[in-house]
Amino acid sequence: MTDELLNHPGAPTGDVRPTASYTLRVNGVERPVTDAWIGESLLYVLRERLGLAGAKDGCEQGECGACSIQVDGQLVNGCLVPAALAADSEIGTVEGLAGAGGAGGVQQALADSGAVQCGYCAPGLAMAVHDLLQRNHRPGEVEARQALCGNLCRCTGYRGALAAVQAVADAREAALEAELAAAEQAPKAAPAAEPAPAEQAAELPLYADSELWHEADQLIPAQPQGETPRTGGYAYPPTPPHGTPVPPDWQREPAAATDPFGTAVHQDAGAYDGTVYATEGHGPDGYAADGYGTPYTGYDATPAHGIRLPEDENA
Ligand code: FES
Ligand code: FES
């Protein structure tokens, strides 16, 4: 019991029989309970306030099992559980075992096996059998007796109840086997259609030097070359085919050079200004200053990034 329940506006303060309002969730349905004495049992509230009379009042002291219900999946005697404490729980009663056409499988098995004589213990027995088969799909004789030992039948119909347990277990096992057999005989699902080549290429990772780049080229729309301005004020240059020699006049005399790619400025480093970038100097005799008599070529070191290679190294 929470203070919230005890102190609701309708609860008279100082009353020796405080009341509370709460909602019970019974068989998946929200059932509000208003101004109920907090000492009322769940069995009483179900029967007298909510009209669910399936659970029977046999002893009101937890001896007979006629009031058996499930609270959060646990089989309990409804006569021993204060209803207000079950406000946040899932409650299952014998009414929830009914099938679409009336009696559920367990109830029908009890009837078929002759377990129902006067019928007063039958709802509690049905809940006990249902709870047992939820926990154990194939209970043995001893397990079934242990599970039902809390349900007293004044008409002494226990053999029928035990037979009903085995009948329901057999029926469910047969239904499962039939379902599995049907699933095995069902035609296999057709294999998924092969994705189109374009879809395959789109799903595969692309790596530099991979031939997939060439396939990907077919998937990427052509970009306007030399026309699309970028934020930096220059445009994408068209990419020349591999092996295309760079015109020597464009390298040596950029001011008068003919732009071989149709782009005025297309390198972050700017146009080549003819400067020789070398890390090793050269002597006046035409040899590199490496001490090995290497003829000086003018480009005896790796130029910085963005610097055009000379013609002889680019060929
Ligand atoms: Fe609850 Fe008998 S009425 S056990
Ligand atoms: Fe009568 Fe069980 S059938 S009490």
Side-chain angles (χ1 to χ4, degrees):
M1 176 59 56
T2 64
D3 290 344
E4 190 178 33
L5 290 175
L6 283 172
N7 299 326
H8 81 102
T13 54
D15 196 314
V16 293
R17 293 172 62 88
T19 62
S21 295
Y22 47 86
T23 299
L24 297 179
R25 185 171 177 81
V26 186
N27 300 324
V29 178
E30 303 281 348
R31 306 294 298 268
V33 178
T34 305
D35 293 339
W37 173 49
I38 61 171
E40 290 176 1
S41 70
L42 188 50
L43 172 65
Y44 178 86
V45 170
L46 289 172
R47 290 179 57 86
E48 308 301 333
R49 291 187 177 273
L50 301 182
L52 298 171
K56 296 295 183 281
D57 185 347
C59 65
E60 288 196 24
Q61 52 187 328
E63 294 290 343
C64 70
C67 61
S68 297
I69 57 177
Q70 282 185 319
V71 176
D72 288 337
Q74 291 282 325
L75 190 70
V76 299
N77 291 323
C79 65
L80 298 184
V81 177
L85 291 185
D88 296 324
S89 301
E90 290 285 339
I91 300 165
T93 69
V94 70
E95 286 88 351
L97 300 186
V106 170
Q107 294 162 303
Q108 191 61 53
L110 285 169
D112 293 345
S113 64
V116 181
Q117 298 174 77
C118 80
Y120 201 80
C121 69
L125 271 175
M127 288 303 296
V129 172
H130 169 69
D131 179 76
L132 168 64
L133 293 174
Q134 274 188 327
R135 294 180 283 108
N136 185 346
H137 295 172
R138 175 50 75 183
E141 171 84 11
V142 173
E143 293 166 317
R145 284 176 177 266
Q146 286 176 333
L148 303 185
C149 69
N151 293 81
L152 302 183
C153 176
R154 291 173 290 190
C155 305
T156 65
Y158 297 109
R159 287 199 177 277
L162 294 172
V165 170
Q166 299 308 321
V168 175
D170 290 345
R172 290 181 178 177
E173 194 171 278
L176 179 61
E177 288 176 357
E179 189 176 326
L180 291 175
E184 280 186 5
Q185 291 177 356
K188 303 293 182 192
E194 282 288 319
E199 293 175 1
Q200 282 183 324
E203 292 172 359
L204 292 172
L206 298 179
Y207 301 100
D209 302 328
S210 167
E211 289 186 6
L212 289 173
W213 280 110
H214 303 296
E215 296 180 26
D217 283 342
Q218 310 303 315
L219 305 174
I220 301 172
Q223 300 295 318
Q225 299 292 317
E227 297 175 2
T228 306
R230 289 178 52 184
T231 305
Y234 51 88
Y236 291 104
T239 304
H242 285 292
T244 301
V246 179
D249 61 338
W250 177 74
Q251 295 184 57
R252 296 292 182 181
E253 300 175 18
T258 300
D259 185 345
F261 305 132
T263 305
V265 179
H266 51 78
Q267 290 280 342
D268 289 343
Y272 179 61
D273 59 3
T275 303
V276 175
Y277 291 90
T279 55
E280 295 183 12
H282 61 88
D285 54 358
Y287 292 90
D290 58 2
Y292 298 104
T294 305
Y296 173 65
T297 62
Y299 301 93
D300 52 359
T302 303
H305 285 293
I307 300 303
R308 296 288 179 184
L309 292 174
E311 179 186 11
D312 56 348
E313 291 186 19
N314 200 36

